């Protein structure tokens, strides 16, 4: 599937994949009442009765390991800024990414949130790494592929960046394509806010995991920046939260980035951890917890989160005093949605 040398065959293949790989939206489309049978995962052995850091369970979905790799080696993130970004927007995203491996942040922290992701292991017993660094960055101010991108052209953007000097790191590299305001992407705001997959050697030269996330602050904040904006159909009963870093679009992106990184790390080649029998439409570890940000979350309620002195909502702390609001992920040990801000 990844080694086809014909671009035309690749295009046909892509058209046959309706969701490419599971795409994220911050608004809760999936039930959080899921039960995942424990299988092949290293963990603390904590049981549901010992903690309230989980939300709901049932026998509806069976998340299984499909024998593929997880990202167990240190991850080097390569950021591709497509379009024009304010320095303040870039620094917010960088600080979130660098907080994943920064254990010095006060609890509840981004690093503690990632600990649930790192519980997932491959068939050798190697867990998802807890080491993520930024390996390089590239700015595409010229919008080399235009302002309307397809899923296929996202890979062309990666290829353009590599030709412009970004390393082609096929051992440890993960590529994040971040599209700025004014850039439309296929299905953006209509069906997806971000997605992850892997590059095709015929287009990029190697098979490498990547994700795309778009800035929704102008186009569809009520879809992709929830809960900092809420859909009109939810009425006045649900008030929008105040973003912790003052930018609805960027703060919304941070949660989508978290979603995609968690799934990309546990299912990089679409053959590791997911539920369902169809790898082209899997339910992954963040999909199970969409819309859940704290204890009691689910069904359109975010759950219990904290507020700072200015009334801005958050659920995790990061480096440099940063605060973020990111969705929970499924813990294979607790067998439920889990987050470090849970109320015990």
């Amino acid at each position: 599937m990844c080694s086809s040398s014909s671009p035309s065959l690749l295009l046909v293949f892509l058209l046959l994949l309706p969701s490419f790989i599971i795409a994220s939206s911050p608004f809760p489309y999936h039930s959080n009442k899921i039960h995942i049978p424990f299988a092949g995962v290293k963990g603390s052995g904590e049981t549901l009765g010992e903690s309230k850091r989980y939300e709901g369970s049932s026998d509806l979905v069976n998340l299984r390991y499909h024998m593929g790799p997880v990202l167990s080696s240190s991850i080097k993130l390569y950021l591709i800024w497509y379009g024009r970004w304010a320095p303040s927007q870039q620094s917010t995203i960088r600080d979130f990414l660098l907080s994943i491996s920064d254990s010095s942040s006060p609890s509840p922290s981004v690093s503690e949130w990632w600990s649930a992701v790192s519980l997932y292991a491959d068939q050798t017993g190697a867990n998802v790494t807890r080491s993520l660094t930024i390996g390089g960055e590239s700015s595409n101010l010229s919008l080399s592929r235009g302002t309307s991108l397809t899923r296929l052209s996202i890979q062309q953007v990666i290829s353009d960046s590599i030709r412009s000097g970004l390393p082609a790191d096929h051992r440890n590299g993960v590529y994040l394509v971040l599209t700025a305001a004014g850039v439309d992407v296929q299905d953006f705001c209509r069906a997806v806010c971000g997605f992850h997959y892997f590059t095709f050697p015929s287009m990029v030269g190697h098979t490498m995991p990547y994700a795309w996330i778009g800035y929704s602050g102008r186009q569809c904040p009520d879809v992709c920046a929830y809960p900092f904006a809420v859909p009109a159909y939810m009425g006045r009963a649900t008030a929008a939260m105040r973003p912790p870093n003052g930018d609805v679009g960027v703060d919304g992106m941070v949660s989508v980035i978290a979603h995609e990184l968690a799934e990309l790390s546990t299912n990089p080649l679409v053959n590791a951890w997911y539920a369902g029998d169809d790898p082209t439409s899997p339910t992954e570890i963040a999909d199970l917890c969409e819309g859940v940000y704290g204890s009691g979350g689910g069904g359109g309620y975010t759950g219990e989160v904290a507020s700072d002195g200015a009334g801005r909502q958050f659920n995790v702390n990061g480096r440099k005093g940063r605060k973020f609001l990111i969705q929970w992920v499924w813990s294979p040990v607790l067998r439920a949605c889990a987050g470090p801000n849970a109320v015990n």
Side-chain angles (χ1 to χ4, degrees):
M1 177 169 65
C2 304
S3 59
S4 170
S5 60
S6 169
S8 61
L9 288 177
L10 281 175
L11 181 57
V12 171
F13 172 76
L14 293 174
L15 292 174
L16 292 174
L17 292 182
S19 62
F20 211 105
I21 183 58
I22 204 70
S24 70
S25 172
F27 191 76
Y29 292 109
H30 295 275
S31 169
N32 67 303
K33 296 177 184 256
I34 305 296
H35 171 74
I36 297 177
F38 180 85
V41 185
K42 291 182 178 179
S44 64
E46 185 176 27
T47 65
L48 290 177
E50 294 170 343
S51 173
K52 293 183 179 179
R53 299 191 175 207
Y54 62 88
E55 295 302 318
S57 66
S58 78
D59 295 319
L60 297 178
V61 173
N62 179 10
L63 184 80
R64 293 185 294 116
Y65 176 56
H66 298 264
M67 305 306 289
V70 300
L71 297 186
S72 57
S73 298
S74 297
I75 294 172
K76 289 185 178 180
L77 299 169
Y78 295 94
L79 311 184
I80 300 173
W81 304 97
Y82 192 82
R84 294 191 176 275
W85 293 84
S88 60
Q89 294 175 322
Q90 293 177 316
S91 64
T92 298
I93 292 173
R94 285 193 199 99
D95 284 340
F96 168 71
L97 295 171
L98 293 173
S99 295
I100 292 174
S101 295
D102 187 349
S103 60
S104 66
S105 301
S107 184
S109 67
V110 177
S111 177
E112 291 171 337
W113 170 84
W114 187 261
S115 67
V117 180
S118 68
L119 292 173
Y120 289 86
D122 63 17
Q123 58 186 312
T124 71
N127 288 76
V128 169
T129 182
R130 300 193 67 167
S131 174
L132 289 85
T133 59
I134 294 177
E137 301 186 36
S138 174
S139 293
N140 192 324
L141 299 177
S142 66
L143 300 171
S144 62
R145 298 292 168 173
T147 59
S148 183
L149 305 177
T150 65
R151 294 173 184 261
L152 186 62
S153 60
I154 294 293
Q155 294 202 33
Q156 294 172 324
V157 169
I158 297 173
S159 179
D160 292 344
S161 297
I162 290 173
R163 284 199 298 269
S164 297
L166 203 64
D169 187 350
H170 61 91
R171 295 185 181 276
N172 301 93
V174 168
Y175 294 79
L176 297 184
V177 179
L178 308 170
T179 51
V183 178
D184 188 32
V185 176
Q186 180 182 352
D187 295 326
F188 184 35
C189 294
R190 294 171 290 278
V192 301
C193 303
F195 66 79
H196 76 88
Y197 206 57
F198 52 86
T199 61
F200 298 119
S202 58
M203 296 195 66
V204 184
H206 301 278
T207 298
M208 301 180 292
Y210 74 94
W212 157 77
I213 301 93
Y215 178 85
S216 63
R218 295 182 187 174
Q219 291 172 274
C220 56
D222 59 329
V223 176
C224 293
Y226 175 88
F228 305 120
V230 297
Y233 65 78
M234 294 185 70
R236 297 181 179 178
T238 302
M241 293 185 175
R242 294 189 62 188
N245 297 286
D247 188 316
V248 168
V250 168
D251 279 298
M253 281 185 76
V254 165
S255 189
V256 181
I257 291 170
H259 178 120
E260 297 302 336
L261 279 179
E263 295 183 340
L264 182 153
S265 298
T266 55
N267 195 29
L269 299 181
V270 205
N271 60 359
W273 288 96
Y274 64 86
D277 297 323
D278 183 0
T280 68
S281 184
T283 298
E284 299 174 283
I285 71 166
D287 299 319
L288 298 173
C289 304
E290 281 182 354
V292 177
Y293 298 82
S295 295
Y301 172 54
T302 59
E304 295 185 42
V305 300
S307 296
D308 65 12
R312 296 170 295 195
Q313 280 73 40
F314 69 97
N315 63 357
V316 289
N317 296 292
R319 68 196 298 264
K320 297 181 178 180
R322 291 277 194 185
K323 301 182 186 301
F324 305 100
L325 184 68
I326 57 178
Q327 68 151 93
W328 284 10
V329 295
W330 193 272
S331 165
V333 174
L334 298 178
R335 306 177 189 181
C337 298
N341 62 307
V343 178
N344 288 317

